[in-house]
Amino acid sequence: MIALIFVSALLWDKAQAWGFKDGVLHNSIWLERAAGVYHREARSGKYQLTYAEAKAVCEYEGGHLATYQQLEAARKIGFHVCAAGWMAKGRVGYPIVKAGANCGFGKTGIVDYGFRLNRSERWDAYCYNPHGKECGGVFTDSKHVFKSPGYPNEYENEQICYWHIRVKYGQRIHLQFLEFDVEDDTACMADFLEIYDSYDDINGFVGRFCGDELPDDIISTGNIFAL
């Protein structure tokens, strides 16, 4: 089971980058670090992780639970998830970029539930790992080929990877699949690749892919892809 994907940047002057304003944040020092934040939930579904389990999930993937400051830095560049999760030191909250009636109580920012006294409460997790190379990572090059761990051999069982692709403001991203062979089942519930057209896990969802048929090329609407 393998995947080989080619990424290239396209110049598109009118492209809008969710979370940016006129590209002001593009050269910020903390921007590279912020891109390492991502949301995780248990395989059994939403809100199933105790604090110890959430911490173990992040550490298993080579990272750790994100701090409040790291989550806020990610939110400032467009990271938006309507799901409460554990952060470092037992804090719980979630990042909101666009205010909505059904999430975030109509406000933007970190919806903060504070430090939880009961570490057995069950939430999701917000992990921080900007240095993942073989399995996941942050790509900012104008062209890049990334692949599943061990390619051209099969990847390992229980392998979880997160790729964050970000190009310059005013550009879009072109994903081209060169090889694709992932375990096939009718609902893509076993092994799969999910693509998001921003850090918004609801409105940014592009699709879930499995099997051995090459997905069509995909072009982003802004300058961010999350896989």
Side-chain angles (χ1 to χ4, degrees), residues 8-207:
S8 60
L10 304 174
L11 181 62
W12 212 303
D13 291 336
K14 294 183 179 180
Q16 297 299 313
W18 213 59
F20 283 88
K21 184 177 181 180
D22 299 325
V24 171
L25 299 178
H26 179 72
N27 293 317
S28 296
I29 294 174
W30 52 259
L31 190 56
E32 292 299 322
R33 300 178 68 244
V37 175
Y38 57 91
H39 166 260
R40 287 282 285 112
E41 63 180 38
R43 285 184 173 270
S44 55
K46 189 175 181 179
Y47 296 160
Q48 297 295 318
L49 298 171
T50 65
Y51 174 70
E53 290 168 343
K55 187 177 179 182
V57 164
C58 298
E59 291 175 350
Y60 175 78
E61 298 172 2
H64 56 77
L65 283 170
T67 65
Y68 179 95
Q69 291 76 15
Q70 287 165 347
L71 188 62
E72 169 61 8
R75 189 197 68 81
K76 286 181 177 179
I77 62 168
F79 188 55
H80 173 105
V81 184
C82 188
W86 291 104
M87 291 177 275
K89 299 181 180 180
R91 200 168 188 166
V92 170
Y94 58 95
I96 295 297
V97 174
K98 288 186 176 181
N102 298 323
C103 191
F105 308 102
K107 300 179 180 179
T108 60
I110 302 295
V111 178
D112 189 8
Y113 293 0
F115 295 95
R116 314 304 293 173
L117 297 178
N118 181 4
R119 301 293 176 88
S120 294
E121 291 178 356
R122 295 187 178 274
W123 306 97
D124 291 347
Y126 286 101
C127 301
Y128 175 72
N129 181 12
H131 303 301
K133 300 299 182 183
E134 183 180 21
C135 186
V138 180
F139 301 139
T140 58
D141 299 336
S142 59
K143 292 185 178 181
H144 192 96
V145 175
F146 64 96
K147 53 196 175 183
S148 55
Y151 177 88
N153 298 319
E154 295 185 357
Y155 50 79
E156 298 179 2
N157 293 331
E158 305 297 326
Q159 190 80 62
I160 302 173
C161 306
Y162 291 90
W163 289 287
H164 302 271
I165 305 168
R166 187 179 65 254
V167 294
K168 293 180 179 180
Y169 181 81
Q171 293 181 334
R172 292 186 182 181
I173 302 164
H174 180 195
L175 281 184
Q176 181 182 9
F177 294 83
L178 305 179
E179 292 189 49
F180 193 76
D181 186 1
V182 177
E183 183 176 349
D184 193 13
D185 68 89
T186 48
C188 288
M189 294 300 292
D191 293 359
F192 57 83
L193 171 70
E194 282 189 341
I195 299 177
Y196 293 85
D197 188 23
S198 73
Y199 290 137
D200 182 346
D201 67 325
I202 299 175
N203 299 314
F205 181 72
V206 173

